[in-house]
Amino acid sequence: MVLSLKCFKDAGHYSSLYYLIRMIHFKSRTKFYPRTNEEIVRLHVPDDKVKWDVTWTEYAPPSYTSDNIRNQTWADPPIGAEGFNPKWNEIDGNVNRESHQGMYKILNGVPLNIVGRTGLCGRGLLGRWGPNHAADPIVTRWKRNTSNNRELHSVSQKHVLQFVGIQRRDTREWALPGGMVDPGEQVTTTLKREFMEEALNSLGSRSAIQSEKMIDEFFAGGKVIFKGYVDDHRNTDNAWIETVASNFHDEQGTCVGVLPFCAGDDAVNVRWMDVDRNLSLYASHIDLIHRVAELHNCHW
Ligand code: RP5
């Protein structure tokens, strides 16, 4: 069992099984912190030292908070700043400081990453101390051949599902078209807004009017498939990303399945991607795709 778990980890892509069994993160321990020209280096945290309840008295990671988040309206002030009295583990005004994973601990006035050590303290690139809430729309349809029949995978003999993926501007990795929940915003609003911004570039005005009703109805029929931690390389010991991922499925391929995609906002490319276990995706998005594959009993 130990050997097979190691194989999953060494496969070079995110392992949902390994993650689910051990509940530890990998990308959140990436050696070089993103967008710092490799100047910010995490302290190496071995797998068996990730959990906070494993004693590590000498643990003293470097600290980093990007200058880009200082004084931003979407970001918290530094801990101890005048007038900043966050209510941890609660809905704090219009900022959600609750975790989907349960109660997180506070040490010396600072939240501790709900999964464990990352080798870096501070907030890095993230705006909020504690959970930073995101939403990920997983828009799916069946892959069809020229006769409009659903395609079977040659090996698994199961139907092939497709989802809308975007290529992120920052890392150039393929990802779900998700984004951060604005303060006070309903997650359902975020899901549709992010999809419109990143995959449909909010459509040209004529198409937008024609498609508006159909898109509204389509996004009203989502199914939540996951709420919780994202193993994102921006996470730190004191700030991390959590998401609500919902599946919006176009069974006949006649709704969103026929819209003209256009990458916008933080995306440089957008396309339908075949669901497959060997995909290499941003953060722990492959785990979300795996859940959708199970939901639709498709090729994986
Ligand atoms: C991921 O980062 C989330 O799952 C979501 O897809 C995304 C949100 O961050 P931005 O795209 O807004 O940078 O962790």
Side-chain angles (χ1 to χ4, degrees):
M1 191 60 173
V2 171
L3 182 65
S4 65
L5 288 177
K6 188 173 184 310
C7 291
F8 270 102
K9 186 186 166 198
D10 291 348
H13 55 76
Y14 192 82
S15 155
S16 54
L17 182 60
Y18 196 93
Y19 174 71
L20 285 175
I21 293 173
R22 296 284 308 274
M23 274 306 286
I24 64 172
H25 44 211
F26 298 97
K27 293 188 179 177
S28 304
R29 289 183 282 153
T30 308
K31 183 175 179 185
F32 298 112
Y33 194 80
R35 287 183 247 170
T36 63
N37 292 325
E38 303 194 346
E39 281 173 19
I40 303 298
V41 184
R42 294 179 194 264
L43 183 73
H44 173 66
V45 178
D47 291 355
D48 61 358
K49 291 267 178 47
V50 168
K51 292 297 177 191
W52 293 110
D53 53 18
V54 175
T55 309
W56 186 358
T57 38
E58 318 81 62
Y59 181 65
S63 178
Y64 173 66
T65 297
S66 167
D67 284 342
N68 295 339
I69 68 170
R70 294 190 204 281
N71 303 319
Q72 296 289 346
T73 50
W74 45 265
D76 288 334
I79 298 287
E82 206 183 323
F84 181 49
N85 303 303
K87 297 187 177 70
W88 307 123
N89 287 298
E90 287 180 37
I91 304 284
D92 182 10
N94 62 6
V95 178
N96 181 5
R97 300 193 194 277
E98 287 180 330
S99 166
H100 296 298
Q101 305 274 149
M103 299 282 280
Y104 52 88
K105 296 189 182 106
I106 308 299
L107 182 68
N108 301 326
V110 183
L112 288 185
N113 186 307
I114 192 126
V115 166
R117 297 180 178 100
T118 67
L120 187 73
C121 58
R123 265 175 300 166
L125 289 160
L126 299 176
R128 302 283 173 204
W129 297 100
N132 287 250
H133 287 283
D136 284 294
I138 308 176
V139 172
T140 54
R141 71 175 185 185
W142 294 108
K143 188 174 190 178
R144 290 174 190 273
N145 59 22
T146 44
S147 312
N148 205 31
N149 294 321
R150 293 194 292 166
E151 266 190 33
L152 285 174
H153 191 271
S154 57
V155 177
S156 68
Q157 289 300 307
K158 285 188 158 187
H159 289 114
V160 179
L161 194 71
Q162 295 185 310
F163 69 98
V164 178
I166 55 118
Q167 192 178 20
R168 291 180 63 98
R169 190 180 300 279
D170 52 1
T171 64
R172 303 281 151 164
E173 288 171 284
W174 286 88
L176 293 167
M180 307 310 294
V181 180
D182 288 339
E185 186 177 47
Q186 293 289 320
V187 171
T188 46
T189 307
T190 316
L191 287 161
K192 182 183 157 203
R193 177 176 59 71
E194 287 292 334
F195 189 80
M196 296 295 291
E197 287 173 6
E198 296 193 345
L200 290 170
N201 202 6
S202 292
L203 288 177
S205 54
R206 223 177 100 226
S207 309
I209 294 161
Q210 286 167 350
S211 313
E212 202 179 310
K213 191 163 170 282
M214 180 269 283
I215 291 172
D216 282 350
E217 283 171 7
F218 184 71
F219 277 94
K223 186 175 175 64
V224 175
I225 53 126
F226 178 76
K227 284 183 178 185
Y229 191 78
V230 184
D231 188 7
D232 190 294
H233 63 166
R234 291 170 288 183
N235 293 346
T236 70
D237 282 4
N238 312 120
W240 62 94
I241 298 183
E242 297 196 11
T243 195
V244 175
S246 285
N247 179 215
F248 302 91
H249 181 59
D250 184 357
E251 178 65 21
Q252 302 303 327
T254 49
C255 302
V256 169
V258 294
L259 287 178
F261 290 139
C262 178
D265 198 32
D266 296 332
V268 287
N269 266 310
V270 56
R271 66 178 165 95
W272 287 104
M273 302 178 76
D274 293 358
V275 167
D276 187 284
R277 73 180 67 210
N278 294 313
L279 285 170
S280 176
L281 297 178
Y282 181 77
S284 42
H285 287 182
I286 192 71
D287 178 51
L288 305 178
I289 295 300
H290 187 190
R291 285 165 189 266
V292 169
E294 286 183 337
L295 178 69
H296 293 283
N297 191 23
C298 64
H299 166 73
W300 168 242

